[in-house]
Amino acid sequence: MDDDLLELRRMLEAAERVVVFTGAGISTESGIPDFRSPGGVWTRMKPIYFQEFVASESARVESWRRKFESDPVMRAAAPNRGHRAVAALVDRGKVSHVVTQNIDGLHQASGIPDHQVIELHGNATYAHCLDCQKRFELDAIRPVFEATLKPPRCDECGGLVKSATVSFGQPMPPAAMIRAEEAILACDLCLVAGSSLVVYPAAGFPELAKRQGAVLAIVNREPTDMDPIADLVLHREIGATLGEVVGNN
Ligand code: APR
Ligand code: ZN
């Protein structure tokens, strides 16, 4: 094991209360494209902002078309070696929480209890009404949408129905933000895995960890904006790196 991996293993052994902060890069080895790598989602299409979704029926149709187009890949995805390494650290009582920007549910699928996964950008596995928050299952929405090409509306209150993810311009989920801040303020090591760290307020959490005195380690293929303030930076593949350091397969 080379020095970088030994250093990350040493940091993990010395830490008592780790927060793992993840982005789309931990799920690419499960077949889910990230956003800003070559070929990533935002290199192929423009984000639909929340205000557009609310204001324009055609934006809602496009948003739902994209959703159902990408859904098979997300449903087929299984946790990979990187997810399993994080789950092993949670299992050992080393990690208090995983703060994730991901919407794929793969941390929970890897066996991490729901209460230890904090989803900053919501979850793509269901939808809800923007007014009364009623929950809608995607399997119920899909056939009607595909038959009518009409975006779904709430059958309770007539409100707009949207995937339970947080779009650009949409308010962040208050409870998740509070829980993430509490976890970050209490951690002694923040391990970032698979994020370009360019989207705020989420990217503010690794910064906050460093500011409050925690060690900051980053595992990411490309350089990130926060490399200069990190205590350790590994520009490597997450699955192999975390799998080897944590010693899981
Ligand atoms: N191993 C290591 N790093 C990887 C791997 C991998 N197998 N695959 C991808 N990466 C790295 C890429 O180099 C990239 O820097 O993961 C990073 C993913 O960055 P982004 O695509 O920007 O994803 P993320 O940081 O999660 O984006 C944040 O932006 O569009 C919004 O809401 C969306 O939650 C998302 C947010
Ligand atoms: Zn409603």
Side-chain angles (χ1 to χ4, degrees):
M1 186 182 288
D2 69 30
D3 292 352
D4 273 349
L5 297 187
L6 284 171
E7 177 58 10
L8 180 56
R9 176 176 282 183
R10 192 198 56 71
M11 285 177 167
L12 283 164
E13 277 160 3
E16 284 170 13
R17 210 176 152 74
V18 180
V19 166
V20 180
F21 180 91
T22 62
I26 197 170
S27 297
T28 55
E29 293 171 53
S30 299
I32 300 176
D34 66 12
F35 295 94
R36 295 173 182 84
S37 286
V41 175
W42 300 146
T43 67
R44 290 181 279 115
M45 57 185 87
K46 213 169 62 62
I48 296 173
Y49 277 63
F50 182 62
Q51 290 73 3
E52 269 178 277
F53 182 92
V54 171
S56 142
E57 170 150 331
S58 61
R60 289 193 289 278
V61 171
E62 172 58 9
S63 175
W64 279 107
R65 187 196 63 72
R66 290 178 183 184
K67 169 73 201 140
F68 288 126
E69 185 184 66
S70 65
D71 208 40
V73 166
M74 196 156 301
R75 284 176 190 248
N80 63 56
R81 198 174 174 204
H83 294 105
R84 292 197 298 274
V86 174
L89 290 172
V90 172
D91 222 23
R92 294 176 199 167
K94 186 59 84 168
V95 168
S96 68
H97 293 85
V98 175
V99 176
T100 188
Q101 302 170 94
N102 299 342
I103 57 174
D104 53 35
L106 288 180
H107 286 304
Q108 295 92 324
S110 71
I112 300 174
D114 281 358
H115 72 276
Q116 288 182 276
V117 180
I118 300 173
E119 294 177 315
L120 298 176
H121 293 159
N123 186 304
T125 60
Y126 66 94
H128 59 191
C129 170
L130 293 177
D131 293 341
C132 71
Q133 299 309 317
K134 179 181 175 185
R135 178 177 167 130
F136 291 85
E137 300 311 325
L138 299 177
D139 288 342
I141 293 174
R142 183 183 196 128
V144 177
F145 174 72
E146 289 181 340
T148 64
L149 277 189
K150 283 268 175 232
R153 284 228 175 225
C154 177
D155 55 4
E156 293 275 313
C157 76
L160 300 178
V161 174
K162 179 178 179 294
S163 163
T165 56
V166 179
S167 302
F168 286 109
Q170 190 168 359
M172 295 291 280
M177 290 296 284
I178 292 165
R179 290 181 58 220
E181 185 175 23
E182 284 165 358
I184 286 281
L185 288 175
C187 80
D188 54 8
L189 168 63
C190 177
L191 170 60
V192 174
S195 181
S196 58
L197 297 175
V198 295
V199 173
Y200 284 81
F205 285 118
E207 262 171 353
L208 176 61
K210 185 66 191 160
R211 239 191 351 267
Q212 64 82 342
V215 173
L216 177 61
I218 298 173
V219 180
N220 199 65
R221 183 187 293 147
E222 301 290 319
T224 78
D225 288 7
M226 272 174 232
D227 287 4
I229 65 164
D231 299 283
L232 179 68
V233 178
L234 306 183
H235 292 150
R236 306 171 75 126
E237 294 302 297
I238 291 166
T241 302
L242 295 190
E244 196 174 337
V245 167
V246 171
N248 73 302
N249 291 313

